[in-house]
PDB file of all heavy atoms in Angstrom:
ATOM      1  N   GLY X1165      14.929  14.087  17.951  1.00  0.00           N
ATOM      2  CA  GLY X1165      16.237  14.625  18.292  1.00  0.00           C
ATOM      3  C   GLY X1165      17.022  13.784  19.269  1.00  0.00           C
ATOM      4  O   GLY X1165      17.942  14.283  19.935  1.00  0.00           O
ATOM      5  N   VAL X1166      16.706  12.499  19.376  1.00  0.00           N
ATOM      6  CA  VAL X1166      17.359  11.664  20.385  1.00  0.00           C
ATOM      7  C   VAL X1166      18.643  11.025  19.863  1.00  0.00           C
ATOM      8  O   VAL X1166      19.392  10.438  20.651  1.00  0.00           O
ATOM      9  CB  VAL X1166      16.399  10.579  20.918  1.00  0.00           C
ATOM     10  CG1 VAL X1166      15.286  11.222  21.729  1.00  0.00           C
ATOM     11  CG2 VAL X1166      15.817   9.739  19.798  1.00  0.00           C
ATOM     12  N   GLY X1167      18.934  11.138  18.570  1.00  0.00           N
ATOM     13  CA  GLY X1167      20.212  10.665  18.065  1.00  0.00           C
ATOM     14  C   GLY X1167      21.347  11.421  18.736  1.00  0.00           C
ATOM     15  O   GLY X1167      22.347  10.830  19.174  1.00  0.00           O
ATOM     16  N   GLY X1168      21.189  12.737  18.847  1.00  0.00           N
ATOM     17  CA  GLY X1168      22.197  13.550  19.516  1.00  0.00           C
ATOM     18  C   GLY X1168      22.293  13.253  21.001  1.00  0.00           C
ATOM     19  O   GLY X1168      23.372  13.359  21.598  1.00  0.00           O
ATOM     20  N   VAL X1169      21.171  12.853  21.599  1.00  0.00           N
ATOM     21  CA  VAL X1169      21.168  12.507  23.023  1.00  0.00           C
ATOM     22  C   VAL X1169      22.009  11.259  23.268  1.00  0.00           C
ATOM     23  O   VAL X1169      22.869  11.220  24.159  1.00  0.00           O
ATOM     24  CB  VAL X1169      19.728  12.295  23.528  1.00  0.00           C
ATOM     25  CG1 VAL X1169      19.731  11.783  24.962  1.00  0.00           C
ATOM     26  CG2 VAL X1169      18.937  13.588  23.429  1.00  0.00           C
ATOM     27  N   LEU X1170      21.773  10.207  22.473  1.00  0.00           N
ATOM     28  CA  LEU X1170      22.551   8.975  22.636  1.00  0.00           C
ATOM     29  C   LEU X1170      24.020   9.218  22.325  1.00  0.00           C
ATOM     30  O   LEU X1170      24.906   8.752  23.052  1.00  0.00           O
ATOM     31  CB  LEU X1170      21.990   7.873  21.738  1.00  0.00           C
ATOM     32  CG  LEU X1170      22.758   6.543  21.755  1.00  0.00           C
ATOM     33  CD1 LEU X1170      22.828   5.967  23.171  1.00  0.00           C
ATOM     34  CD2 LEU X1170      22.118   5.531  20.804  1.00  0.00           C
ATOM     35  N   LEU X1171      24.289   9.964  21.269  1.00  0.00           N
ATOM     36  CA  LEU X1171      25.677  10.224  20.892  1.00  0.00           C
ATOM     37  C   LEU X1171      26.387  11.009  21.992  1.00  0.00           C
ATOM     38  O   LEU X1171      27.539  10.706  22.338  1.00  0.00           O
ATOM     39  CB  LEU X1171      25.722  10.983  19.571  1.00  0.00           C
ATOM     40  CG  LEU X1171      27.079  11.080  18.885  1.00  0.00           C
ATOM     41  CD1 LEU X1171      27.692   9.698  18.674  1.00  0.00           C
ATOM     42  CD2 LEU X1171      26.936  11.796  17.548  1.00  0.00           C
ATOM     43  N   GLY X1172      25.713  12.000  22.569  1.00  0.00           N
ATOM     44  CA  GLY X1172      26.316  12.750  23.663  1.00  0.00           C
ATOM     45  C   GLY X1172      26.611  11.864  24.856  1.00  0.00           C
ATOM     46  O   GLY X1172      27.642  12.025  25.534  1.00  0.00           O
ATOM     47  N   HIS X1173      25.730  10.916  25.120  1.00  0.00           N
ATOM     48  CA  HIS X1173      25.948   9.979  26.223  1.00  0.00           C
ATOM     49  C   HIS X1173      27.175   9.106  25.950  1.00  0.00           C
ATOM     50  O   HIS X1173      27.985   8.861  26.858  1.00  0.00           O
ATOM     51  CB  HIS X1173      24.711   9.114  26.407  1.00  0.00           C
ATOM     52  CG  HIS X1173      24.835   8.104  27.501  1.00  0.00           C
ATOM     53  ND1 HIS X1173      24.891   8.439  28.842  1.00  0.00           N
ATOM     54  CD2 HIS X1173      24.927   6.741  27.453  1.00  0.00           C
ATOM     55  CE1 HIS X1173      25.009   7.346  29.570  1.00  0.00           C
ATOM     56  NE2 HIS X1173      25.037   6.311  28.757  1.00  0.00           N
ATOM     57  N   PRO X1231      21.314  17.589  23.607  1.00  0.00           N
ATOM     58  CA  PRO X1231      19.987  18.175  23.819  1.00  0.00           C
ATOM     59  C   PRO X1231      19.428  17.801  25.185  1.00  0.00           C
ATOM     60  O   PRO X1231      19.589  16.669  25.651  1.00  0.00           O
ATOM     61  CB  PRO X1231      19.151  17.555  22.689  1.00  0.00           C
ATOM     62  CG  PRO X1231      20.140  17.188  21.637  1.00  0.00           C
ATOM     63  CD  PRO X1231      21.379  16.801  22.370  1.00  0.00           C
ATOM     64  N   THR X1234      15.656  15.176  26.886  1.00  0.00           N
ATOM     65  CA  THR X1234      15.539  13.741  27.166  1.00  0.00           C
ATOM     66  C   THR X1234      16.377  13.384  28.382  1.00  0.00           C
ATOM     67  O   THR X1234      17.551  13.748  28.456  1.00  0.00           O
ATOM     68  CB  THR X1234      16.005  12.909  25.957  1.00  0.00           C
ATOM     69  OG1 THR X1234      15.247  13.282  24.807  1.00  0.00           O
ATOM     70  CG2 THR X1234      15.821  11.419  26.216  1.00  0.00           C
ATOM     71  N   ILE X1236      18.399  10.692  30.509  1.00  0.00           N
ATOM     72  CA  ILE X1236      19.110   9.432  30.297  1.00  0.00           C
ATOM     73  C   ILE X1236      19.106   8.598  31.582  1.00  0.00           C
ATOM     74  O   ILE X1236      19.386   9.106  32.668  1.00  0.00           O
ATOM     75  CB  ILE X1236      20.567   9.683  29.883  1.00  0.00           C
ATOM     76  CG1 ILE X1236      20.645  10.245  28.460  1.00  0.00           C
ATOM     77  CG2 ILE X1236      21.392   8.410  29.984  1.00  0.00           C
ATOM     78  CD1 ILE X1236      20.558   9.213  27.376  1.00  0.00           C
TER      79      ILE X1236
END
Side-chain angles (χ1 to χ4, degrees):
V1166 292
V1169 174
L1170 177 58
L1171 192 55
H1173 179 69
T1234 303
I1236 289 278

